[in-house]
Amino acid sequence: MRLPTPRRLLLAVTTAAVLGAAVVSLAPAADAAALHVAYDVTGSTTVAKTKSSITLGPAVLSTTIASSGKFSGSLNLPPATTSFNALGLLPTSGTVTFVAAKATTGSLVSNPKPKINATASYYVKLSNVTVLGLPVPVGTKCQTADPVTMTVSGKFSVVKGGTLTGTYTIGKFANCGLTTFLLNALLAGPGNTVSLTLANGRQVAG
């Protein structure tokens, strides 16, 4: 089967977004005109309390875009290492894994300018934590008690992609042993920022 060229793909999805008119409810697409599109994703997030940055990606966002402009997909992020000075004094590092809790969902909006709104939900899991170079036992189930919801938006081209930004709150951690209280004091809270760049939009098999 001959796949649409990027120009035809852009035309098809842009037309669908115009017909959709506005932001609609976030649900997986199921109509016959749905397109399956993948994007390369890179980015970063900054934790407000520690002012530490965590690299996101490289990863692939796989989506199904409905004729209404709604989409649903998956974004599996690789583990990343972060470091900061706990209490401003103690060099601390650890591995952060974003464990997907739900599908990534959102919608394409055509007015007044092409834009995308997206929401992703992850448990934030910690492992390999060290303080002053010494390992800190946090166990194998140390993660936020509830999923962390990241909502991002930005100008967007179906073919070229775009950069999406947003803020989110890190909830309380659980099952981290004796360090649970300390981790909550250091990391949990609002005002965390995230930036994701989507590029190289391409049609893939459904």
Side-chain angles (χ1 to χ4, degrees):
M1 180 181 72
R2 184 180 179 183
L3 295 177
T5 63
R7 184 179 298 277
R8 289 179 180 173
L9 175 60
L10 176 60
L11 178 60
V13 177
T14 301
T15 301
V18 171
L19 293 175
V23 179
V24 288
S25 61
L26 306 181
D31 61 286
L35 293 170
H36 304 284
V37 186
Y39 298 91
D40 296 326
V41 180
T42 56
S44 65
T45 180
T46 298
V47 179
K49 282 188 174 180
T50 61
K51 297 180 175 59
S52 56
S53 180
I54 302 170
T55 298
L56 302 177
V60 174
L61 170 64
S62 300
T63 66
T64 298
I65 305 175
S67 59
S68 63
K70 296 182 298 182
F71 71 84
S72 178
S74 61
L75 176 59
N76 297 316
L77 297 167
T81 300
T82 187
S83 60
F84 57 92
N85 290 327
L87 306 176
L89 297 172
L90 307 175
T92 303
S93 66
T95 299
V96 181
T97 304
F98 293 90
V99 181
K102 297 179 181 179
T104 298
T105 57
S107 58
L108 299 170
V109 183
S110 59
N111 292 315
K113 293 181 179 180
K115 182 181 179 181
I116 190 172
N117 299 307
T119 299
S121 183
Y122 296 94
Y123 289 98
V124 180
K125 185 175 183 179
L126 299 177
S127 59
N128 302 320
V129 177
T130 66
V131 177
L132 292 172
L134 301 175
V136 176
V138 296
T140 59
K141 298 181 180 180
C142 177
Q143 64 181 36
T144 51
D146 298 306
V148 171
T149 299
M150 298 182 181
T151 299
V152 295
S153 62
K155 295 179 181 178
F156 193 74
S157 162
V158 173
V159 175
K160 295 181 179 179
T163 297
L164 314 181
T165 59
T167 59
Y168 64 97
T169 297
I170 297 176
K172 297 291 186 179
F173 284 84
N175 303 313
C176 304
L178 297 177
T179 63
T180 300
F181 176 81
L182 178 60
L183 290 174
N184 284 328
L186 291 174
L187 302 174
N192 310 288
T193 60
V194 58
S195 176
L196 295 171
T197 298
L198 278 59
N200 189 29
R202 57 205 181 269
Q203 188 175 18
V204 294

